[in-house]
Structure formats: structure tokens, C-alpha cells
Amino acid sequence: MSRKPFTLRQAVLSGGAAAAGTSAGTIAETIASHVPGVGPLATAVVALWVLDKLHALIDDTES
């Protein structure tokens, strides 16, 4: 079974979401350093949110 290639669109979406999530996680850890686990949680939530928004923004289907 052949694998589908990783497209430029997928790379842009993943990279943008990872960058935004990492930034948000760092800020959350800095602000709420007394709350354990807030950085990774913020990273995951923001990355998924940005991925969803970028996917909708760069939608390649015809309407």
C-alpha cells in the first residue's frame, strides 16, 4: 500500500499550529507558573484551535 505524500498545505498547517501552540504554552507557563501542567495544556488547546482555523481559512475545496 503506497503512502500519501505530506503536502505543502499540511506542512504549513502543522507548522503554524505548532508555532502558535508553543508560544501560547510558554506564555501560559510564565504567567501561571504555580499551576502544574498549564503549559502543555495551553499548547495543545491553542495548536488544535489554530489548526482548525487555518484549515478553514486555506480550504481547497470548491464552494
Side-chain angles (χ1 to χ4, degrees), residues 11-55:
V12 168
L13 293 177
S14 300
T22 302
S23 299
T26 302
I27 292 169
E29 276 190 356
T30 303
I31 292 173
S33 59
H34 61 281
V35 181
V38 72
L41 178 64
T43 298
V45 168
V46 170
L48 289 174
W49 182 80
V50 169
L51 183 63
D52 179 54
K53 296 303 174 189
L54 284 176
H55 179 67

